[in-house]
Amino acid sequence: MITNPRLQLTIDCAEPERLATFWAAALGYEVEPPPAPFASWRAYWLDQGLSEEELGTGDSSDSVVDPQGVGPRIWFQQVPEPKATKNRLHLDLGVSGGRGVPFATRKERVLAKVARLESAGASRLRVEESEESGSCFVVMQDPEGNEFCVH
């Protein structure tokens, strides 16, 4: 009996390799390497009996992992239907250092991360900030329109 299951996040998408590359950069993760001795995930899956048709195009590099082994694995599952509505679950990237850090410093850190994510293909939806309440976060979308926040 498994008492503490291992958590994996699965994100439905159209282009798994593109999102794996984006989220690896956004989170400081790495695209998960194929199991030894395989040179690519495609070679691994072909060896496991999947057909070329099932694999489609590309290398099948569709997951990212935390190089420190702390965060969950994230698998980008290719699905045929496009994203149609707002996410029911989203990722929050905490980069500000928390409320013990001066508001101006937190805001600067958030906006710097937002700029890097925009250059990697994300889009900014809105900025929410209130020095009064100490809140500063940015709602964004990844390259396929999945919402996430940077705070």
Side-chain angles (χ1 to χ4, degrees), residues 13-34:
C13 63
E15 297 180 58
E17 290 177 63
R18 179 180 180 204
L19 281 192
T21 300
F22 171 81
W23 281 105
L27 297 170
Y29 272 37
E30 58 189 34
V31 174
E32 185 174 29

Side-chain angles (χ1 to χ4, degrees), residues 9-10 18 21 24 28 47 67 69 77 86 96 101 114 127 151:
L9 298 175
T10 301
R18 179 180 180 204
T21 300
D47 183 73
Q77 174 177 272
K86 184 181 183 308
S96 71
V101 174
V114 165
V127 176
H151 64 87

Side-chain angles (χ1 to χ4, degrees), residues 1-2 26 28 32 46 50 53 55-56 64 74 88 91 95 103 105 109 111 118 127 130 136-137 145 151:
M1 174 180 197
I2 298 175
E32 185 174 29
L46 287 169
L50 270 69
E53 294 77 33
L55 291 174
V64 297
I74 304 173
R88 293 293 304 255
L91 302 179
V95 300
F103 180 80
T105 302
R109 290 175 179 173
L111 295 178
E118 286 174 322
V127 176
S130 167
C136 177
F137 66 94
H151 64 87

Side-chain angles (χ1 to χ4, degrees), residues 16-141:
E17 290 177 63
R18 179 180 180 204
L19 281 192
T21 300
F22 171 81
W23 281 105
L27 297 170
Y29 272 37
E30 58 189 34
V31 174
E32 185 174 29
F38 298 96
S40 70
W41 279 102
R42 180 178 252 337
Y44 170 78
W45 288 118
L46 287 169
D47 183 73
Q48 298 300 304
L50 270 69
S51 69
E52 290 284 349
E53 294 77 33
E54 289 173 295
L55 291 174
T57 60
D59 175 40
S60 301
S61 296
D62 58 4
S63 56
V64 297
V65 292
D66 179 354
Q68 306 301 315
V70 177
R73 177 181 191 262
I74 304 173
W75 177 47
F76 299 93
Q77 174 177 272
Q78 188 169 24
V79 296
E81 69 277 355
K83 180 181 177 301
T85 62
K86 184 181 183 308
N87 302 19
R88 293 293 304 255
L89 171 75
H90 70 264
L91 302 179
D92 281 345
L93 307 183
V95 300
S96 71
R99 292 188 180 265
V101 174
F103 180 80
T105 302
R106 286 188 284 135
K107 179 179 174 181
E108 180 181 308
R109 290 175 179 173
V110 166
L111 295 178
K113 181 68 170 183
V114 165
R116 288 191 299 276
L117 293 169
E118 286 174 322
S119 70
S123 351
R124 185 184 315 203
L125 294 178
R126 71 180 185 278
V127 176
E128 300 282 338
E129 70 173 271
S130 167
E131 193 164 357
E132 234 175 56
S133 69
S135 175
C136 177
F137 66 94
V138 179
V139 180
M140 301 189 77
Q141 289 181 323

